[in-house]
Amino acid sequence: MALNFIWKIAGALADALHLPGFPKHKEPKFDKKKVTVIFVLGGTGAGKGTQCSLLVEKYNFSHLSTGDLLRAEQDRLDSQFGDLIRTHIREGEIVPMEVVVKLLENAMCAVLESKTGEGWGDGKGRFLVDGFPRKMDQALKFEEDVCTSSLVLFFTTNEETMLERLLERGKTSSRDDDNIESIKKRFATYKETTMPVIEHYEKSGKVAEVDSSPSVDEIHAVAAAAVAKVLT
Ligand code: UDP
Ligand code: MG
């Protein structure tokens, strides 16, 4: 106990003095025992949104899509990040992680204060974080500052299916990036930047891979079974 205390003080001092090589002792904001975070990844157009809605119905999750949070921030009148977000999204690039992690943390706090029902109350909650983390730095920052994740649901499909679904969605979505040029850039970013995140979590056995080529119901059954294992 006393040792632990001294260790913490030393850690805090080292942080304050910016001493390199000394382990950091900051705890994430939310405790994994109370707050379940499931990351939802998969190529753009793999059907993450659809599957998340079904999981929300079944398990009373809060569904936070980082893409939606970014688009809302981009459109917020006095946001200082609007232009930065807009250009990154159009180019299919990843917005700097500080922005996304902060938006997520704020959204999680708001939901934890208001949401009720199965899995919620007394600081408890369950989140599907959709479209995140897309880059290693985001993953590490989130786990260090906000919450340790419980599972990564990884929806896989081929590029032709994704392209077909995205172009279809583009007819009605009015999104800046549902056009062939942006889609190609998003595919490339996904391969170069997001695949390493999946590989990282595979090493710790946290990834549940779900083939998203069969019917919506079949995919849902597989995803729901994986999720049930980590819910308490
Ligand atoms: N984006 C980002 N960081 C994130 C999530 C999204 O920078 O954590 C940006 C990125 O430019 C991405 C775009 O938002 O291409 C759209 O993301 P969304 O998840 O809405 O699109 P999806 O890939 O699901 O179609
Ligand atoms: Mg999406």
Side-chain angles (χ1 to χ4, degrees):
M1 189 63 198
L3 251 184
N4 192 25
F5 181 70
I6 292 168
W7 185 244
K8 276 199 172 155
I9 300 270
L13 262 178
D15 282 353
L17 298 171
H18 303 288
L19 292 183
F22 206 94
K24 288 198 171 159
H25 272 271
K26 215 170 123 248
E27 295 293 329
K29 179 162 190 139
F30 304 115
D31 181 356
K32 183 189 181 207
K33 291 192 200 90
K34 287 190 149 188
V35 175
T36 305
V37 169
I38 297 182
F39 293 143
V40 183
L41 284 175
T44 174
K48 300 186 294 286
T50 309
Q51 290 300 325
C52 283
S53 326
L54 294 171
L55 292 170
V56 164
E57 258 174 58
K58 189 168 171 73
Y59 296 114
N60 201 28
F61 276 106
S62 163
H63 174 210
L64 298 176
S65 149
T66 45
D68 290 347
L69 289 174
L70 283 168
R71 281 182 286 273
E73 179 65 20
Q74 164 194 297
D75 296 338
R76 199 167 60 84
L77 278 181
D78 41 358
S79 169
Q80 47 174 320
F81 301 117
D83 289 337
L84 174 99
I85 295 173
R86 194 167 297 110
T87 40
H88 277 79
I89 288 187
R90 200 182 307 123
E91 292 306 314
E93 285 163 5
I94 312 292
V95 175
M97 56 133 178
E98 289 81 2
V99 177
V100 189
V101 172
K102 199 71 209 160
L103 287 174
L104 262 180
E105 183 181 334
N106 290 346
M108 285 173 72
C109 284
V111 177
L112 277 160
E113 269 172 31
S114 55
K115 196 166 166 67
T116 54
E118 192 202 340
W120 296 82
D122 291 330
K124 284 197 293 174
R126 36 177 82 162
F127 293 93
L128 290 174
V129 181
D130 171 358
F132 180 92
R134 277 175 145 90
K135 195 172 173 181
M136 248 350 270
D137 66 350
Q138 295 180 323
L140 298 175
K141 176 93 177 148
F142 182 90
E143 303 252 357
E144 188 176 314
D145 289 2
V146 186
C147 194
T148 306
S149 62
S150 297
L151 181 74
V152 179
L153 268 183
F154 176 38
F155 292 99
T156 57
T157 186
N158 53 47
E159 277 191 15
E160 296 89 88
T161 313
M162 291 196 263
L163 183 63
E164 209 176 285
R165 289 180 186 167
L166 281 178
L167 289 175
E168 191 56 38
R169 180 173 85 182
K171 291 181 190 159
T172 52
S173 73
S174 71
R175 273 176 52 160
D176 282 355
D177 59 351
D178 282 344
N179 59 75
I180 193 80
E181 292 79 31
S182 293
I183 292 171
K184 291 222 164 106
K185 289 178 186 161
R186 283 149 75 198
F187 281 170
T189 302
Y190 177 72
K191 273 195 203 138
E192 285 156 25
T193 318
T194 308
M195 277 318 287
V197 177
I198 307 273
E199 284 153 19
H200 165 79
Y201 284 112
E202 258 161 7
K203 283 187 200 131
S204 47
K206 273 194 189 175
V207 178
E209 190 170 329
V210 183
D211 174 12
S212 54
S213 6
S215 73
V216 169
D217 290 346
E218 285 169 277
I219 302 166
H220 173 62
V222 177
V227 165
K229 284 191 197 152
V230 301
L231 286 180
T232 43

